[in-house]
Amino acid sequence: MPPPRSRLPALAPPFPARALCASSAPAPAPAPAPRAHHPLDGMPRRGTADRLAHLPSALADFVRARAAGPATSVHCRFSYGNTLAACATSGAPLAFAEQLYCAAWKDGLSRDAYVCSAVVDLLSKQGRLQDALRAFEDGDPSSVVCWNAAISGAVRNGEPALGIEMFCDMVRGSSCGPNSFTYSGALSACAASTDLGVGRVVHGMVLRRDPEYDVFVGTSIVNMYTKCGEMGAAMNEFWRMPVRNVVSWTTAIAGFVQEEDPMSAMLLLREMVWSGVAINKYTATSILLACAQMSMVREANQVHGMLMKTELYLDHVVKEALISTYANVGAIHLCEKVFQEVGTVSNRSIWSAFISGISSHSLQRSIMLLKRMLCQGLRPNDKCYVSLFSFVDSTELGKQLHSLVIKDGFVQAVLVGSALSTMYSRCNDLKDSYKVFEEMQERDEVSWTSMVAGFATHGHSLEAFQAFRNMIVDGFTPDDVSLRPILSACNKPECLLKGREVHARVLRVFGGTKSINHCLVSMYSKCQDVESARRIFNATQCKDQVMLSSMISGYATNGYSEEAISLFQLMLTIGFQIDRFVCSSIISICADMARPFYGKLLHGYAAKLGILSDLSVSSSLVKLYSKSGNLDDSRKVFDEISAPDLVTWTSIIDGYAQHGSSQDALVMFDLMIRCGVKPDPVVLVSVLSACGRNGLVEEGLKHFNSMRTVYGVEPMLHHYCCMVDLLGRSGRLAEAKSFIESMPVKPDLMVWSTLLAACRVHDDAVLGRFVENKIREENYDSGCFATLSNIRANSGDWEGVMEIRKSVKDVKKEPGWSML
């Protein structure tokens, strides 16, 4: 049994004070004072029809009978109970029910089980659970009817744990025993709280006390097991039932839909039809949801045809489910057909379902439909706004929809607020995203996770950690879904400590990390802690494709090329299918290790799998062929890319520049600019190198001068070095020397070495000696000494050559290496 739970806190008395302290002896009459007339105070002489006109006839008759005097039978407990029940079904003002309860107090019937259960049921249906519990405590504790009303009221008001506690109190300390309605209420509480342990205990009590229980209790048992995810036990109980009604069948079908087993749901529907039980609208909506899960268009058509033979096809809820199902399976023409069959639609739920379904396929069309809906005087519901925000990719359009949300009063809805915040984040407007998030009066785990993911996606790691910390302080325990974005925020070595803290919390709270091990491997790899990533990888017993892909990517990004290729070969041997991430990582490794043959094999493998259209794979292939000098294949792959990004442009331009096709490199750069791709410092290095290799001094100067003014890129040492190389190759050594002296940053050894190499090519010994002195002021470099020695030798200064060679003896030489 669950531990005892404290009662809900008492509020101020909601009933008139005389109801809470009524007794058989009337209280002394207060001094006459003008007050409003109550219908139960007696029959007034004038205006009776006006005063009772707003009440249903059954309630008005009760008022007239009570006004006639105590000699009538109106004081019968059944009259009070029936009148209170009529208040619940007729929509009478709650104030009238309170006055009626006061009258029952005066007549000494407040403890009667019939009256008490009626008022408890009425108040719980009105959402006033605390008042209902106070009325229950004032009633008859030996009445099972009162207990049933209180337990059902707790479940109805979202307090299933309280309903379970009350059932336990009833079994342990009450003089009455539970009946079928009690068991059904307790089982509903277990289903709502997914408390399988107590649910099994209740099931055992039912079998022990009433082995031949009715279909009502049997359906509650099936529902409890389905809600707890125990479909095997649920179906055992379902087939054990001697009689199964439409509620029983629908409960079992909904259980399979909940477990994402639509095929079993369809088979059970077939059994239901063969057994002669007619479906209702709840069965129809459940089975349509099953069709949407597996994109079963044929089955959805069959259900559609079955519904058209019944009156259910006219129900708006069923129409809405049909539209949503066809939209989810991609059958937009059928979705439109169902919508058109409705005729002049005045139901906003159907409009909202149709717009939501269209939004996933054509946002523009859904906006046009929204305008038509608004012109007809209808307003979309919150689900419609959530669907639209999921596909909006423009801040301007998002703000217009935001204004409609404010006008319709949905801005404080949790689902709408979360979708709105996510929309702004997706449109790179993180400021408005956080503003919407801050203004939300209520936040759930989804909204917190969306905000953390927004910060992480836009590179704001510190803000992501702060939001994650506030989420925990707010009382939410992060699950697998919310842990993934915070781990993705740990994407650089500076975040390694934070990543370890998250890892430690997961171990402390959950005791394990199996479900997010691949995220931890990726996190440690991005933080350059390959050893920790490898430990988690080795500790994972069942390694799936995602885990292998994460480890291969981690090896590739941290320079462990051989380990990545070895693991890739193991992945192929096991029989896993290679995805685009693994393929692009291995192709990049082949490019860095100068293994074009393996790259060609992967090219064919990617074509076979149909992932060549992925930008990461095609970009890696362009890089592979460019680095190996196969410019024709590189250009062929590049031309097949519909929208190349900056990395792809850089690969093709650098390939042309490195292999003597400088003019082609410059042509591609101009094409890149015309395509609207903004250059970065890396691609500009390739452009300046292409100008240097082809002797295009003026072209190089033009591109260098336009870096800051046109492209907004501040020149760095690599760019200055390219300009020195450009001037030096053209023999303009004095100009190169002046360029170095005018640099706004201090030239490093690479800049002076570049000028020294030009001095050797053009046999300028004087400038070479000047550069030699500059280099001696910096750290010694064996390559520079070899260049100095060659310059002295070319000029016939053999004494200088011997001097340099003597000074080189104590200098450590870097070993040369070749990829060929």
Side-chain angles (χ1 to χ4, degrees):
M1 293 295 178
R5 172 177 172 153
S6 60
R7 298 289 186 189
L8 295 171
L11 297 180
F15 299 147
R18 63 180 182 276
L20 301 179
C21 60
S23 61
S24 56
R35 66 178 181 87
H37 178 77
H38 293 291
L40 298 179
D41 283 345
M43 182 70 72
R45 295 183 179 179
R46 292 192 302 268
T48 303
D50 295 337
R51 299 179 187 277
L52 301 180
H54 67 285
L55 294 177
S57 59
L59 306 185
D61 292 342
F62 180 86
V63 173
R64 294 188 184 95
R66 190 178 190 282
T72 65
S73 61
V74 73
H75 293 77
C76 173
R77 62 192 184 97
F78 296 107
S79 299
Y80 275 110
N82 292 335
T83 308
L84 286 168
C87 290
T89 58
S90 63
L94 188 60
F96 178 82
E98 293 177 352
Q99 296 167 26
L100 188 62
Y101 189 57
C102 293
W105 267 89
K106 287 183 177 180
D107 294 338
L109 296 174
S110 62
R111 292 180 58 84
D112 181 81
Y114 202 68
V115 175
C116 176
S117 61
V119 75
V120 169
D121 182 68
L122 172 63
L123 291 172
S124 63
K125 287 180 179 178
Q126 294 291 331
R128 293 172 56 169
L129 177 62
Q130 298 173 31
D131 297 335
L133 293 177
R134 293 174 61 205
F136 166 74
E137 291 175 354
D138 291 336
D140 184 5
S142 62
S143 171
V144 66
V145 180
C146 297
W147 281 100
N148 293 344
I151 293 172
S152 300
V155 178
R156 183 182 292 114
N157 285 271
E159 291 286 343
L162 180 60
I164 293 175
E165 179 190 349
M166 295 181 68
F167 174 77
C168 297
D169 292 343
M170 175 185 178
V171 172
R172 287 193 296 253
S174 174
S175 59
C176 62
N179 59 14
S180 297
F181 296 99
T182 317
Y183 290 132
S184 296
L187 289 167
S188 298
C190 295
S193 61
T194 62
D195 195 333
L196 181 61
V198 178
R200 284 174 171 164
V201 171
V202 178
H203 187 188
M205 293 175 62
V206 172
L207 291 174
R208 186 172 66 253
R209 298 189 181 187
D210 186 13
E212 302 298 328
Y213 49 83
D214 56 20
V215 65
F216 187 61
V217 177
T219 303
S220 299
I221 295 173
V222 173
N223 179 62
M224 183 272 296
Y225 281 122
T226 59
K227 291 296 191 300
C228 294
E230 292 288 333
M231 284 305 300
M235 294 310 297
N236 288 338
E237 177 63 26
F238 177 79
W239 295 119
R240 181 182 177 276
M241 295 169 61
V243 178
R244 292 177 285 272
N245 59 13
V246 62
V247 180
S248 309
W249 286 97
T250 304
T251 301
I253 291 173
F256 281 120
V257 176
Q258 174 186 314
E259 292 296 308
E260 298 183 356
D261 187 1
M263 294 305 301
S264 298
M266 293 297 298
L267 292 174
L268 196 60
L269 175 68
R270 184 180 302 174
E271 293 283 343
M272 176 181 178
V273 174
W274 284 348
S275 65
V277 179
I279 67 172
N280 60 15
K281 65 178 181 179
Y282 303 105
T283 318
T285 53
S286 295
I287 204 64
L288 287 172
L289 180 58
C291 295
Q293 287 181 353
M294 288 290 289
S295 298
M296 298 185 294
V297 181
R298 181 171 173 270
E299 287 77 4
N301 284 331
Q302 292 175 349
V303 176
H304 188 176
M306 183 172 61
L307 292 173
M308 292 184 70
K309 298 178 182 179
T310 66
E311 295 182 354
L312 292 175
Y313 192 67
L314 303 177
D315 191 278
H316 282 169
V317 176
V318 176
K319 288 281 190 181
E320 181 182 348
L322 265 174
I323 291 173
S324 300
T325 298
Y326 281 135
N328 290 333
V329 300
I332 299 299
H333 62 290
L334 295 175
C335 178
E336 294 178 350
K337 185 176 180 180
V338 175
F339 181 75
Q340 292 170 359
E341 287 174 355
V342 182
T344 304
V345 182
S346 59
N347 184 281
R348 77 168 189 165
S349 297
I350 293 181
W351 266 102
S352 299
F354 185 54
I355 294 174
S356 300
I358 294 296
S359 63
S360 60
H361 300 274
S362 175
L363 178 62
Q364 184 177 2
R365 175 112 187 273
S366 64
I367 296 299
M368 294 176 60
L369 288 169
L370 177 63
K371 292 179 181 178
R372 281 179 51 193
M373 180 181 181
L374 295 174
C375 290
Q376 293 188 16
L378 298 174
R379 313 297 295 189
N381 57 22
D382 54 346
K383 296 180 182 178
C384 180
Y385 281 122
V386 170
S387 298
L388 288 173
F389 284 135
S390 299
F391 299 98
V392 170
D393 55 359
S394 168
T395 305
E396 182 179 357
L397 176 60
K399 288 184 176 180
Q400 293 176 3
L401 292 174
H402 190 175
S403 64
L404 287 177
V405 167
I406 295 175
K407 185 182 296 185
D408 292 341
F410 292 128
V411 70
Q412 294 300 335
V414 177
L415 288 177
V416 177
S418 299
L420 186 58
S421 177
T422 304
M423 181 272 297
Y424 279 123
S425 176
R426 188 173 57 252
C427 296
N428 297 322
D429 190 351
L430 198 59
K431 181 179 179 182
D432 283 340
S433 174
Y434 186 64
K435 184 177 180 181
V436 171
F437 178 77
E438 275 192 318
E439 292 175 352
M440 293 175 63
Q441 294 182 0
E442 181 183 356
R443 304 184 185 102
D444 61 358
E445 191 170 351
V446 176
S447 55
W448 277 107
T449 303
S450 299
M451 197 67 252
V452 173
F455 282 130
T457 304
H458 291 84
H460 296 274
S461 299
L462 293 178
E463 289 80 0
F465 285 117
Q466 185 62 44
F468 183 75
R469 188 180 296 110
N470 292 339
M471 172 184 175
I472 297 174
V473 172
D474 210 26
F476 293 97
T477 300
D479 57 3
D480 296 350
V481 178
S482 54
L483 285 169
R484 287 186 175 93
I486 194 61
L487 288 173
S488 68
C490 307
N491 52 10
K492 48 190 175 181
E494 302 86 66
C495 300
L496 179 59
L497 181 60
K498 294 291 185 182
R500 286 176 173 168
E501 291 177 359
V502 176
H503 188 184
R505 179 173 179 81
V506 174
L507 292 173
R508 185 170 63 252
V509 175
F510 299 103
T513 61
K514 292 182 180 179
S515 58
I516 58 168
N517 273 2
H518 64 282
C519 297
L520 290 169
V521 169
S522 178
M523 182 271 293
Y524 281 118
S525 299
K526 291 177 181 177
C527 294
Q528 299 180 5
D529 187 358
V530 183
E531 293 300 323
S532 296
R534 192 183 331 216
R535 279 197 297 269
I536 296 174
F537 177 79
N538 293 334
T540 305
Q541 295 182 353
C542 299
K543 301 177 179 64
D544 57 4
Q545 182 171 340
V546 179
M547 171 64 72
L548 289 166
S549 301
S550 300
M551 195 66 247
I552 290 174
S553 299
Y555 279 141
T557 54
N558 287 279
Y560 291 79
S561 303
E562 295 294 343
E563 289 83 351
I565 292 177
S566 177
L567 190 57
F568 173 71
Q569 292 172 343
L570 176 63
M571 190 174 181
L572 287 175
T573 304
I574 295 174
F576 283 112
Q577 186 174 357
I578 306 304
D579 59 11
R580 55 194 179 95
F581 302 106
V582 175
C583 191
S584 60
S585 298
I586 297 300
I587 292 174
S588 297
I589 290 176
C590 293
D592 294 334
M593 298 181 67
R595 294 185 179 180
F597 176 73
Y598 292 114
K600 280 184 173 291
L601 293 178
L602 285 171
H603 188 174
Y605 192 77
K608 183 179 179 180
L609 292 177
I611 58 176
L612 275 180
S613 58
D614 185 79
L615 188 58
S616 62
V617 176
S618 53
S619 296
S620 300
L621 284 171
V622 171
K623 177 184 176 183
L624 170 74
Y625 290 130
S626 296
K627 280 197 169 186
S628 62
N630 192 350
L631 299 179
D632 292 337
D633 287 344
S634 177
R635 181 61 182 270
K636 184 178 179 181
V637 174
F638 179 86
D639 290 339
E640 293 176 354
I641 302 174
S642 57
D645 60 357
L646 180 58
V647 176
T648 313
W649 282 104
T650 303
S651 298
I652 190 69
I653 292 171
D654 189 65
Y656 280 129
Q658 294 292 335
H659 294 88
S661 301
S662 301
Q663 289 292 346
D664 292 332
L666 296 177
V667 169
M668 294 300 293
F669 179 74
D670 292 337
L671 180 61
M672 183 189 86
I673 298 300
R674 289 198 298 270
C675 290
V677 180
K678 185 179 178 181
D680 67 347
V682 178
V683 71
L684 287 169
V685 169
S686 299
V687 170
L688 295 177
S689 298
C691 294
R693 286 181 170 83
N694 210 34
L696 303 175
V697 180
E698 300 303 326
E699 186 80 9
L701 288 171
K702 183 190 76 171
H703 285 297
F704 180 80
N705 294 328
S706 62
M707 286 181 60
R708 186 184 291 107
T709 58
V710 178
Y711 307 128
V713 177
E714 190 67 27
M716 296 184 294
L717 280 171
H718 277 79
H719 303 102
Y720 289 111
C721 187
C722 289
M723 290 307 300
V724 172
D725 180 63
L726 172 64
L727 295 172
R729 285 172 181 264
S730 303
R732 299 160 68 166
L733 301 180
E735 193 173 343
K737 176 176 176 294
S738 301
F739 181 83
I740 293 175
E741 293 173 345
S742 64
M743 285 170 52
V745 294
K746 181 182 178 181
D748 62 353
L749 186 61
M750 180 177 62
V751 175
W752 290 116
S753 299
T754 302
L755 181 57
L756 181 61
C759 292
R760 178 198 173 186
V761 172
H762 296 283
D763 292 332
D764 192 336
V766 176
L767 184 58
R769 290 180 182 275
F770 171 79
V771 177
E772 176 187 348
N773 294 329
K774 289 292 185 181
I775 291 176
R776 289 184 182 276
E777 296 175 3
E778 304 293 337
N779 294 327
Y780 288 103
D781 180 77
S782 58
C784 295
F785 284 118
T787 303
L788 287 173
S789 176
N790 291 332
I791 292 175
R792 296 283 182 92
N794 291 337
S795 62
D797 186 5
W798 297 105
E799 294 181 0
V801 171
M802 294 303 296
E803 179 184 350
I804 292 175
R805 289 187 176 181
K806 289 180 181 179
S807 62
V808 150
K809 287 182 179 180
D810 298 329
V811 177
K812 182 180 180 181
K813 296 183 179 181
E814 296 294 334
W817 59 280
S818 174
M819 299 287 290
L820 301 177

